Amino acid sequence: MKASDIPDNIWNKFIRILTGTDNLIKSTRKPEREDTKAEVLRRVEIKLQSLDYDAEQIKISQQIPPGPQRIRGLAGTGKTIILAMKVAHMHYNHPDWTIVYSFNTQSLYEYIIDLIKRFYQYLSGGRDPNWSRLMILHGWGGKSKNGLYSFICGIVGKNPITFTEAKDHFEYRRNSELLGKCCLELMEIDLPKMFDAIIIDEAQDFDRNFFRFCYALLKPPKRLIWAYDELQSLENVDIPTAKDIFGIDENGVPIVELEGPYSAGLEKDFILFKSYRNPRAVLILAHIFGMGLLRKDGPIQFIPELGAWEDIGYKSQGGAFEVGKKVRLTRPIDHSPNPIEDFIPAKNLITIKTFETKELELVWIADRIKEDIEKERLKPEDILIIGFNQSGLYSQFDFLKRSLMKSGIYGFIVGKDVSKDTFHVSNLVTLSTVFKAKGNETPVVYIFNFENAEDKKGVIQSRNMAFASITRTKGWCTITGTGPVMKELELELNTIISQYPEVTFTVPDMTQIKRNLDSVEYEKRRTRINKLSLKLKETITEIEHYDEREVPDETKRIIIEFAKKLK
């Protein structure tokens, strides 16, 4: 039998087994009534197992680059899974290497360790990783656990500065700067080059001095790999290039150059646009609201080129990217392959509601959760409540917990009731701030205090917090708030939803925009890829014109089919 004779579903199953991804999605839900959310989730999980494998994601996860590598990916594109697979492959193939996996959100600890362990056990036939060689370290660290910064302080004989001490010790504008300043101070001494690879997840949340710190700790060839999504940045509003982060050498040459591939053909820079987590309607809502493209007071951040929209998985349905012109975009289904809309209309996935008082808002949420568990047959751990930051937030969490307890439903507050490392607990509803929820996911998300998504003092950050919150869901998203600001936001959100599966907006004047989400680096990458794509088309056309004597038809068909997939 030839490879071309193998049915697609068998071939994809074979690829998942080979790469260790076959065990990622296993539905353990028992069948429920057809009209329940629990049954919809069960069917979605089963269908996800039969999706075509993503060749790009598999490729990235198995590559070990001979130097720095950057991975830009939307929410839900599997960045953490890809990095976990990559780390497991590195550790398995190079057991003598010392590797660090670093990240920002402490509640991801258990998830990351579990992912890496599962991938490594698959590769090794059941053995656990050597955790002295493969180190999972939060960027900063805490009282009970080392982070990369505090671990290096111990190596060089320095007392680590705590977050609280740093706030008194340094001048700063954003909390993320504090770790950067601690790292910069530590770099005044000669740091040991002790690591063979450092992987940074949630890179958008780290200060550039943290990157330089990591780079200084690496042995040649400086294998620093970072993954990020600028729309999930909750503090930093700039989008620094590699040159901005790492600087130039004495000859004016960038210390880290991401343009073009390595000599072996490995790419230095990737963009992931296929989002598996979020339903298509949810991701479109999150993007358009996050940028403020239909906002009453005008957009806040913008992507000014069609090519840059295509980078993140959108397609033009008409219009030109010229100031004042209308543009119509959509997101193809195969770029958001979450199959939930096969079982339930998109309009039933998103609920927006405004209340007169906070008490009414919180009681309503508790009542809906009771319905989710009793009527919709969901498990408590399927449900995440995210509170937008405001004074008294933890009192509101406590009120929600008490309201749920009246119905025999229990919940926990991340970082307060349990360890900061824990985000999911069996039979408990999760209550979390936006910051602690980042990187995590659940089938059902409730977001309250949403009126704070229009914080005039930090509107980019508040819109990014909205984006990060909305994109935590794998299924249903409910957004609530109070007051006149929430009424305006409800109208904005419903306007976006009403246009689904398309969205139309007016191209803004970039001089009036607070944040440009495109960059020179992205533009150079697109130009290079477009040239390669054109060359590939020319090659396909040339092959198509060969006759049977030069290239047999079956060979020709396989080559063309493969080439089209590369495009």
Side-chain angles (χ1 to χ4, degrees), residues 312-329:
I312 61 171
Y314 287 84
K315 297 291 182 188
S316 172
Q317 299 297 99
F321 275 81
E322 298 171 12
V323 177
K325 296 286 182 69
K326 295 279 187 184
V327 168
R328 191 160 48 96
L329 298 177

Side-chain angles (χ1 to χ4, degrees), residues 132-143:
S132 66
R133 286 289 186 182
L134 173 49
M135 305 169 72
I136 315 300
L137 295 171
H138 180 257
W140 199 312
K143 292 179 181 177

Side-chain angles (χ1 to χ4, degrees), residues 441-551:
E441 59 184 39
T442 54
V444 175
V445 171
Y446 287 86
I447 308 165
F448 71 93
N449 292 341
F450 199 77
E451 65 274 11
N452 295 315
E454 186 64 22
D455 180 353
K456 295 290 194 291
K457 293 179 182 177
V459 69
I460 294 176
Q461 291 90 339
S462 61
R463 289 283 169 145
N464 284 0
M465 288 173 79
F467 177 87
S469 301
I470 293 168
T471 54
R472 294 312 92 206
T473 186
K474 298 190 287 184
W476 293 264
C477 183
T478 298
I479 298 168
T480 65
T482 56
V485 173
M486 183 60 201
K487 269 292 180 190
E488 290 178 3
L489 296 181
E490 183 177 2
L491 177 62
E492 182 182 341
L493 290 161
N494 280 326
T495 303
I496 298 167
I497 293 166
S498 69
Q499 297 185 34
Y500 181 77
E502 297 179 348
V503 65
T504 301
F505 54 83
T506 302
V507 176
D509 180 350
M510 290 305 292
T511 63
Q512 304 301 309
I513 293 295
K514 295 180 182 293
R515 192 184 190 210
N516 184 345
L517 292 170
D518 202 13
S519 78
V520 174
E521 280 188 330
Y522 300 162
E523 204 172 323
K524 285 181 178 178
R525 182 183 183 276
R526 285 197 298 275
T527 301
R528 182 172 61 82
I529 288 173
N530 287 338
K531 285 179 181 176
L532 290 172
S533 182
L534 186 61
K535 195 170 181 180
L536 196 58
K537 285 179 183 175
E538 291 170 354
T539 304
I540 290 171
T541 303
E542 191 178 332
I543 291 170
E544 285 173 336
H545 285 89
Y546 286 147
D547 62 30
E548 175 72 19
R549 290 169 299 175
E550 294 173 297
V551 180

